[in-house]
């Protein structure tokens, strides 16, 4: 038998299903008796609902029910309960659900949705955080002070559009900036973007005769759905059963509770009958949450040697019409605001602001794409101003073990990793010594750099658990609740389990669908934290199982359990491995010769939470936002056409300190995928709105994500500085490929086009506009 | 010209088998495959012809099944991902990590399958033109490119058409 250790390539367990069309996603599980629900969305970005007439819709043949805000008087939200599932008296963004039609066919539902009449009295909308902060700006939430806080650490400011404000203070940045040799002042913007997962969000619900609510949904967080639905509908969590089948891409956009609420409302309205609800692409972009936008002011000061002395940063987050995860992203940005640099004096303020955009939720990078763009563009500007090599300037400023993190604790090699090794590795990978820029005819070839880091910024009590069942044949069934959203996480889970048990990964089984009934709670499949959190839970479950196996084997072998090892499907004597008992003969308890049996079935259990994390102090930002960082260095090389400002992406490179790579090929593929998404965001993506707040690009024809022929060559490498608390030393890598791509691309193109590109996305049109404003 | 006004009985040839369905004239091939024939490998991603997740082959050419009416395909050969019998594309996609979430995979497999049978040795610009019809949000596309190229016969032509922003 071949034992597959962590660090070896393993074929993903869902591979055959995914290439044969047999992998089942939420809406694939549609049955003929299911009713279809359809959302009626707001055509107005900000307004009072004067009148709603559902009579024509309700009278249509095949329509079972029509719901409005009056039928759902609840408020929801993960941090602040400010969002009605169906608008109540007021709409706050274009696309907001105002009614829900439930019908016997898709056609009847679609037709009835058109017959719901809603009359709005428009209110002046606000579309940028700075506009929303101006005195006299129209308020989105008049009753901001009355909303229930779901978590303690959120600080809305009633009478304004501020739903949260938090500051970080380290040293005295204001004073230190005064004595700096060079100070770069900059302003950056990043519009809201979309996750654009290929599977649009979908949910199904039914309520059985005993009141149990059954939900199947496209989610990253089945246990959060269970909790939120139980709380909103006033039932025990045990009466909510959530299944997450394969998820067709998520990227943070399916980590909240969104369509599930509407699906349950719909089923409740038709006596518990099964109802399905699936977003159209247009709804998925305009109605369901988007990626957060931002306006950022940065001042970075350095001494005459180029050493960063002080950073002042003011981040205005465009959380859209509702709070959702905005303030949590504010904390994530705050905690990592410097980038992986050691800066003595830091002031950072993050204000989360309501606007009349679609509300925002987590998106791969959790705010770090934006903050990295701002810091790394500023570092390049500083390098230009000081006439220093951008890589060398970064190198002398990197944070190193023993330095103090922005949130005021000392970093170690284990918690930080090795940013310097990443940067040096990157320089070799992209042949930095050849220089960042050269011209050949009408083309300029330029390279841009970015350093990245990110920690979890999870709730301090985020946890995970695992149950390990031994089957009669000695194989293992692993019950874990991470969702298979793409990066082969459930295969990795089996691999960690197999490696710790010394078993062949083929004999460790995981289902691909997750059910909250079967699998013990896992926080959410987010934050690049699944390998770490779940991996620890699995290791602890394996230890628990091994202890039980050794105890049973000791009986059989008449020795001390301390002298036994579990490996290769056997429990054997450490001093003489030829003496062993097979797991399959003891995993149901040990049976003596005459049939009498002791012990029982071996069930390993493990559960963990984050250790020693704290919420960040509201006034100083001090605290511990995550267990470790993943640091990295990234670069993009472009070919810029000086005649028409178009450009081609030639190469993109990433060197990441991954701690320990568990499945190498999968890890490279996940990082490359992240880089592609980051490049797509960098060069192409940004939601556009008309002056009345309607989204103009709510289809994949107009919201243009990267396509096959536009992708560059990818170079990826890993540094492995163990994170001593991670399984086998591993760090998370799920988001990191994306984080520095916009910064690196903007740096490359700013150099190539000799302009300062401070606004994402970086399009040829934008370069042309800036160049025509400022002739050379 | 045939005019369809009412629900119509049609005989479809899907994956080499004859299937009879009764469909309204406005029904999309995608919905017939998924809701009447249980072939959910073709996925809706946009219902607008933009993403390609619903791609199937009609007479061995890729068609976005959200852009075709079921009544249009009567008498033609339809191949869906469920009809691929150990096609080399499937193996290549697994080996090259050419999918993650898997939602776009059926569509890409069908495009690649038709590409190989129609152009056994396509130059890069042909590969680009064919594969630009679909969207993948998880991979970098490089993996899909490697999977396609691993099946080419003969020399790999030099790239002359690349991305232009």
């Amino acid at each position: 038998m071949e034992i597959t250790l962590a660090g070896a390539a393993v074929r993903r367990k869902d591979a055959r299903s995914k290439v044969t069309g047999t992998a089942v996603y939420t809406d694939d599980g549609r049955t003929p008796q299911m009713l279809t629900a359809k959302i009626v969305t707001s055509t107005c970005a900000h307004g009072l609902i004067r009148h709603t007439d559902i009579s024509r819709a309700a009278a249509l043949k095949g329509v079972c029910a029509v719901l409005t805000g009056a039928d759902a008087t609840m408020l929801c939200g993960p941090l602040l309960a400010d969002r009605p599932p169906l608008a109540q008296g007021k709409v706050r963004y274009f696309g907001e659900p105002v009614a829900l039609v439930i019908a016997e066919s898709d056609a009847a539902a679609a037709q009835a949705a058109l017959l719901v009449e809603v009359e709005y009295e428009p209110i002046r909308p606000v579309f940028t955080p700075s506009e929303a902060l101006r005195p006299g700006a129209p308020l989105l939430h008049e009753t901001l002070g009355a909303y229930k806080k779901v978590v303690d650490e959120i600080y809305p400011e009633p009478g304004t559009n501020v739903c949260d404000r938090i500051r970080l203070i380290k040293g005295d940045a204001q004073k230190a900036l005064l004595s700096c040799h060079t100070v770069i002042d900059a302003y950056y913007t990043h519009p809201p973007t979309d996750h654009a997962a290929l599977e649009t969000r979908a949910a199904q619900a039914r309520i059985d005769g005993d009141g149990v609510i059954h939900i199947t949904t496209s989610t990253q967080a089945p246990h959060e759905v269970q909790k939120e639905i139980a709380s909103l509908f006033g039932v025990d969590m045990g009466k909510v059963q959530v299944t997450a089948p394969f998820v067709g891409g998520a990227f943070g956009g399916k980590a909240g509770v969104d369509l599930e609420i509407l699906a349950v409302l719909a089923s409740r309205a038709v006596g518990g009958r099964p109802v399905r609800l699936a977003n159209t692409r247009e709804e998925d972009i305009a109605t369901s949450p988007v990626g957060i936008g931002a306006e950022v002011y940065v001042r970075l000061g350095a001494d005459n040697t180029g050493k960063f002395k002080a950073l002042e940063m003011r981040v205005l987050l465009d959380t859209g019409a509702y709070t959702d995860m905005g303030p949590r992203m504010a904390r994530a940005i705050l905690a990592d605001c410097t980038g992986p640099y050691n800066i003595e004096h830091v002031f950072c303020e993050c204000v989360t602001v309501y606007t009349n955009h679609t509300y925002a939720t987590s998106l791969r990078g959790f705010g770090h794409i934006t903050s990295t763009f701002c810091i790394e563009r500023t570092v390049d500007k500083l390098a230009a101003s000081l006439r220093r090599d951008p890589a060398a300037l970064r190198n002398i400023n990197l944070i190193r073990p023993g330095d103090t993190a922005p949130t005021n604790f000392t970093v170690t090699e284990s918690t930080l990793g090795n940013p310097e090794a990443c940067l040096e590795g990157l320089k070799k990978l992209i042949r930095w010594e050849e220089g960042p820029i050269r011209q050949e005819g009408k083309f300029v070839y330029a390279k841009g750099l970015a350093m990245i880091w990110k920690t979890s910024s999870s709730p301090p009590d985020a946890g995970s658990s695992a149950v390990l069942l031994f089957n009669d044949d000695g194989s293992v069934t692993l019950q874990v609740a991470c969702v298979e959203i793409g990066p082969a996480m459930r295969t990795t889970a089996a691999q960690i389990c197999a490696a710790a048990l010394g078993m062949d990964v083929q004999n460790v089984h995981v289902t691909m669908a997750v059910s909250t009934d079967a699998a013990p709670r896992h926080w959410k499949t987010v934050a690049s934290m699944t390998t770490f959190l779940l991996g620890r839970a699995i290791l602890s479950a394996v230890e628990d199982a091994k202890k039980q196996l050794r105890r049973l084997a000791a009986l059989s072998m008449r020795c001390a359990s301390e002298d036994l090892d579990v490996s290769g499907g056997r429990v054997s004597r450490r001093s003489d491995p030829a003496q062993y008992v097979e797991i399959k003969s003891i995993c149901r308890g040990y049976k003596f010769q005459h049939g009498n049996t002791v012990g029982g079935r071996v069930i390993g259990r493990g559960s963990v939470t984050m250790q020693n994390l704290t919420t960040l102090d509201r006034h100083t930002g001090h605290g511990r936002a995550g267990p470790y960082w993943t640091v990295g260095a990234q670069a993009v090389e472009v070919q810029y056409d000086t005649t028409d400002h178009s450009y081609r992406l030639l190469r993109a490179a990433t060197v990441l300190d991954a701690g320990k790579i568990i499945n190498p090929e999968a890890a490279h593929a996940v990082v490359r995928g992240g880089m592609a998404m980051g490049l797509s965001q960098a060069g192409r993506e940004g939601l556009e709105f008309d002056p009345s707040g309607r989204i103009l690009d709510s289809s994949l024809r107009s919201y243009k994500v990267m396509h096959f022929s536009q992708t560059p060559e990818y170079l990826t490498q890993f540094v492995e500085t163990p994170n001593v608390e991670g399984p086998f030393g591993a760090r998370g890598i799920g988001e990191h490929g994306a984080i520095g791509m916009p910064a690196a691309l903007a740096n490359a193109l700013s150099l190539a086009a000799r302009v300062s590109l401070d606004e994402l996305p970086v399009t040829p049109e934008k370069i042309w506009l800036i160049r025509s404003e400022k002739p050379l | 010209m045939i005019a369809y006004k009412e629900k119509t009985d049609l005989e479809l040839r899907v994956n080499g088998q004859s299937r009879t369905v009764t469909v309204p004239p406005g029904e999309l091939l995608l919905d017939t495959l998924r809701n009447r024939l249980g072939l959910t490998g073709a996925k809706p991603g946009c219902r607008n012809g933009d993403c390609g997740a619903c791609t199937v082959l009609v007479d061995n050419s890729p068609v976005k099944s959200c852009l075709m009416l079921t009544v249009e395909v009567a008498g033609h050969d339809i191949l869906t991902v469920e009809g691929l019998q150990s096609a080399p594309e499937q193996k290549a996609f697994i080996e090259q990590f050419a999918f993650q979430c898997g939602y776009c995979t059926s569509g890409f497999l069908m495009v690649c399958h038709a590409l190989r049978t129609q152009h056994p040795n396509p130059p890069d610009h042909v590969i680009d033109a064919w594969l630009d019809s679909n969207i993948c949000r998880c991979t970098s596309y490089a993996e899909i490119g490697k999977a396609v190229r691993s099946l080419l016969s003969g020399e790999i032509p030099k790239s002359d058409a690349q991305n232009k922003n």
Side-chain angles (χ1 to χ4, degrees):
Chain A
M1 185 187 59
E2 188 186 340
I3 296 181
T4 311
L5 298 174
V10 164
R11 175 179 288 190
R12 48 188 306 156
K13 286 178 174 279
D14 53 4
R16 290 288 304 162
S17 295
K18 284 182 172 173
V19 298
T20 53
T22 51
V24 173
Y25 301 78
T26 295
D27 210 35
D28 295 342
R30 174 179 193 170
T31 59
Q33 66 268 33
M34 265 182 203
L35 303 175
T36 292
K38 172 90 186 152
I39 305 171
V40 180
T41 60
S42 171
T43 53
C44 168
H46 199 190
L48 298 176
I49 299 176
R50 274 291 164 228
H51 180 67
T52 308
D53 185 354
I54 60 166
S55 57
R56 285 175 65 212
L60 192 76
K61 188 166 175 275
V63 171
C64 307
V66 182
L67 304 179
T68 66
D71 302 300
T73 54
M74 52 188 55
L75 291 174
C76 57
L79 307 175
L80 186 69
D82 61 357
R83 186 173 72 85
L86 293 170
Q88 293 169 11
K90 185 176 180 180
V91 290
R92 299 182 176 90
Y93 69 94
F94 168 80
E96 179 164 5
V98 291
L100 188 66
V101 173
I102 303 111
E104 281 165 9
S105 68
D106 295 4
Q111 202 185 344
L114 295 173
L115 296 176
V116 173
E117 290 167 32
V118 187
E119 197 184 307
Y120 302 99
E121 179 183 321
I123 302 171
R124 181 161 67 89
V126 284
F127 296 122
T128 61
S130 46
E131 237 181 280
L133 289 175
R134 249 171 240 147
L139 290 185
L140 271 90
H141 296 267
E142 297 80 0
T143 56
L144 182 53
Y147 292 141
K148 188 180 124 222
K149 288 184 178 188
V150 181
V151 295
D152 292 333
E153 59 283 3
I154 177 167
Y155 312 107
E157 297 174 6
T160 74
N161 287 316
V162 174
C163 73
D164 182 70
R165 185 190 302 266
I166 183 164
R167 291 195 176 115
L168 180 140
I169 296 169
K170 180 185 168 193
D172 187 342
Q174 204 179 4
K175 192 167 144 215
L177 279 167
L178 293 175
S179 59
C180 282
H181 169 271
T182 306
V183 175
I184 302 294
D185 244 296
Y187 170 70
Y188 303 97
T189 60
H190 188 187
T193 54
D194 194 69
H195 307 82
L198 259 282
E199 177 204 27
T200 60
R201 295 164 178 93
Q204 298 163 352
R206 67 182 174 90
I207 306 168
D208 71 21
D210 296 305
V212 179
I213 301 172
H214 301 263
I215 298 168
T216 301
T217 176
S218 174
T219 184
Q220 296 171 257
H223 284 96
E224 284 297 309
V225 173
Q226 180 191 33
K227 193 162 136 189
E228 177 85 352
I229 294 291
S231 147
L232 287 174
F233 290 86
V235 298
D236 280 358
M237 277 176 70
K239 288 223 159 191
V240 181
Q241 191 264 318
V242 181
T243 302
F246 278 117
V247 172
F251 315 112
K254 293 172 179 172
V257 187
D258 179 36
L259 293 191
E260 297 87 354
I261 302 170
L262 294 177
V264 174
L265 283 169
S267 178
R268 192 177 69 172
V270 293
R273 291 173 68 185
V275 179
R276 63 173 278 278
L277 174 59
N279 274 350
T280 61
R281 176 57 59 186
E282 289 73 12
E283 288 158 354
D284 214 52
I285 292 178
T287 300
S288 288
V290 297
I292 203 157
E295 295 174 71
V296 184
Y297 299 85
V298 178
R299 294 185 77 204
L300 177 65
D303 66 16
N304 58 358
T305 69
K307 203 71 188 123
F308 302 166
K309 284 305 194 192
L311 170 72
E312 233 179 47
M313 200 166 168
R314 189 153 189 263
V315 181
L316 309 179
L317 289 176
D318 176 358
T319 199
Y322 298 103
T323 305
D324 203 81
M325 289 297 274
R328 193 86 84 197
M329 282 181 272
R331 279 151 186 75
I333 290 172
L334 198 85
D336 292 342
C337 65
T338 53
Y341 302 110
N342 185 34
I343 309 181
E344 199 179 336
H345 302 281
V346 183
F347 173 86
C348 178
E349 180 181 62
C350 288
V351 192
T352 311
V353 186
Y354 290 124
T355 70
N356 292 107
H357 285 154
T358 304
Y359 69 101
T361 195
S362 49
L363 189 150
R364 197 177 206 163
F366 209 50
H368 283 60
I369 283 186
T370 311
S371 56
T372 303
F373 171 68
C374 302
I375 290 295
E376 291 298 312
R377 280 292 301 126
T378 310
V379 170
D380 254 36
K381 289 179 194 195
L382 184 67
S385 164
L386 295 170
R387 296 175 192 282
R388 292 286 296 269
D389 172 69
L393 185 71
R394 283 175 169 86
N395 191 312
I396 63 163
N397 284 292
L398 290 176
I399 190 164
R400 290 171 168 87
D403 290 342
T404 307
T407 62
N408 208 34
F409 62 92
T410 307
V411 303
T412 65
E413 186 179 74
S414 171
T415 54
L416 177 67
N418 193 339
E420 192 171 352
C422 294
L423 180 56
E424 290 311 311
L426 182 82
K427 283 166 64 182
K428 287 200 193 84
L429 205 55
I430 61 165
R431 297 194 297 273
W432 182 254
E433 77 283 354
E434 291 172 5
I437 184 163
R438 70 190 159 87
Q439 182 148 8
E440 273 176 34
K442 65 173 187 169
F443 292 121
V444 174
Y445 296 84
K447 299 169 192 164
L449 301 177
M451 291 300 300
I452 62 166
W453 72 342
K454 183 184 180 293
T455 189
S456 69
S457 292
S458 57
D461 61 350
S464 185
S465 37
V467 171
L468 210 146
L469 304 172
F470 281 86
N471 301 310
D472 288 5
D473 60 1
S475 67
V476 168
T477 296
L478 178 63
Q479 292 187 333
V480 289
C482 63
V483 178
E484 191 45 76
I485 53 179
M489 195 52 234
R490 294 185 71 78
T491 303
T492 304
Q495 205 183 345
I496 291 171
C497 180
L501 272 172
M503 274 176 79
D504 189 325
V505 69
Q506 301 308 326
N507 298 328
V508 177
H509 301 276
V510 284
T511 58
M512 284 299 150
V514 174
S515 162
T516 53
D517 275 4
R521 187 177 173 89
H522 172 67
W523 168 49
K524 304 173 181 178
T525 306
V526 298
S528 310
M529 274 292 139
T530 308
T531 300
F532 176 77
L533 262 185
L534 183 64
R536 283 170 60 103
I538 292 169
L539 292 182
S540 133
V542 168
E543 275 319 303
D544 186 41
K546 278 184 171 176
K547 209 185 294 171
Q548 298 170 45
L549 289 168
R550 279 198 302 261
R551 205 160 46 220
L552 288 163
L555 282 173
S556 140
M557 296 166 74
R558 298 188 180 84
C559 65
S561 64
E562 294 77 19
D563 294 334
L564 298 173
D565 261 343
V566 181
S567 182
R570 299 167 169 181
V571 186
S572 47
R573 272 195 104 117
R574 203 170 289 156
S575 59
D576 179 8
Q579 292 182 45
Y580 66 88
V581 55
E582 284 191 291
I583 287 178
K584 68 180 171 198
S585 66
I586 57 167
C587 67
R588 287 173 285 167
Y590 177 63
K591 196 170 171 185
F592 289 98
Q593 209 174 357
H594 300 293
N596 48 332
T597 305
V598 292
R601 186 168 295 274
V602 174
I603 300 174
R605 56 191 180 134
S607 79
V608 297
T609 56
M610 291 287 190
Q611 302 291 300
N612 301 318
L613 301 196
T614 57
T615 50
L616 303 184
D617 181 83
R618 170 184 187 180
H619 302 291
T620 64
H622 293 181
R624 198 146 183 157
Y628 64 86
W629 283 270
T630 304
V631 296
Q634 300 193 293
V636 174
E637 186 176 355
V638 294
Q639 181 200 56
Y640 166 73
D641 185 331
T642 51
T643 58
D644 64 4
H645 311 297
S646 65
Y647 61 88
R648 288 198 288 177
L649 302 171
L650 297 179
R651 264 172 291 280
T654 298
V655 180
L656 211 57
D657 191 339
K660 165 76 185 173
I661 290 297
I662 293 187
N663 195 345
E665 281 310 311
H668 284 283
V670 165
V671 172
R672 282 193 301 262
M675 292 162 74
M677 186 167 181
L679 286 169
S680 185
Q681 289 240 325
R684 299 165 185 280
E685 298 182 36
L687 290 168
E688 290 186 34
F689 301 82
D690 78 4
S692 69
R694 283 183 299 200
I695 294 186
L696 296 171
D697 43 5
S698 65
S699 81
L700 293 177
R701 188 159 303 182
S702 43
Y703 189 86
K704 281 280 195 198
V705 301
M706 187 188 269
H707 284 60
F708 182 86
S709 67
Q710 296 149 351
T711 211
E713 180 192 345
Y714 293 89
L715 307 165
T716 52
Q717 261 180 21
F718 294 113
V719 169
E720 292 184 312
T721 310
N723 157 30
V724 297
E725 293 178 353
F728 307 103
R731 301 169 191 275
I733 57 166
E735 299 164 280
H736 298 74
I739 292 173
M741 284 292 116
L745 177 67
N747 281 340
L749 282 169
S750 295
L751 182 67
R754 287 186 281 166
V755 291
S756 191
L757 297 166
D758 298 340
E759 195 182 307
L760 288 174
V762 186
T763 58
E765 185 185 359
K766 239 172 236 166
I767 300 173
W768 169 71
L769 273 172
I770 299 174
R771 300 235 351 172
S772 27
E773 279 162 22
K774 284 191 234 164
L776 289 175
Chain B
M1 194 181 86
I2 311 169
Y4 296 93
K5 288 186 180 145
E6 305 292 331
K7 275 198 168 183
T8 309
D9 290 337
L10 296 172
E11 197 166 302
L12 302 180
R13 272 206 312 279
V14 186
N15 299 333
Q17 289 184 329
S18 175
R19 307 283 298 261
T20 307
V21 291
T22 308
V23 298
E27 182 158 302
L28 301 174
L29 176 58
L30 172 64
D31 291 326
T32 303
L33 291 172
R34 289 176 58 81
N35 300 336
R36 296 187 197 275
L37 299 177
L39 298 170
T40 55
K43 306 290 184 205
C46 65
R47 292 182 177 274
N48 199 38
D50 300 328
C51 79
C54 67
T55 305
V56 299
L57 303 189
V58 175
D59 299 335
N60 203 35
S61 278
V63 162
K64 288 165 177 169
S65 63
C66 72
L67 292 184
M68 187 170 242
L69 299 176
T70 305
V71 295
E72 292 179 89
V73 291
H76 296 271
D77 273 315
I78 304 160
L79 184 68
T80 72
V81 70
E82 290 90 345
L84 290 182
Q85 305 285 334
S86 302
E89 287 75 27
Q90 292 168 300
K91 189 159 175 270
F93 266 56
I94 293 175
E95 279 167 3
Q96 302 299 336
F97 284 79
F99 57 87
Q100 288 182 31
C101 84
Y103 199 82
C104 73
T105 309
S106 309
F108 267 107
L109 282 171
M110 300 320 287
V111 173
C112 294
H113 187 68
L115 170 63
R116 182 174 54 86
T117 47
Q118 291 190 23
H119 300 272
N121 193 22
D124 274 0
H125 72 269
V126 172
I127 297 178
D128 283 351
W130 275 64
L131 269 62
D132 269 351
S133 61
N134 290 33
I135 295 174
C136 171
R137 189 64 157 167
C138 296
T139 74
S140 73
Y141 294 111
E143 300 78 9
I144 297 174
K146 272 179 90 174
V148 171
R149 290 184 176 92
S150 74
L151 302 175
L152 298 183
S153 54
E155 280 294 290
I156 298 171
K158 198 85 190 126
S159 165
D160 58 355
Q162 284 192 24
N163 57 313
K164 188 114 182 165
N165 202 320

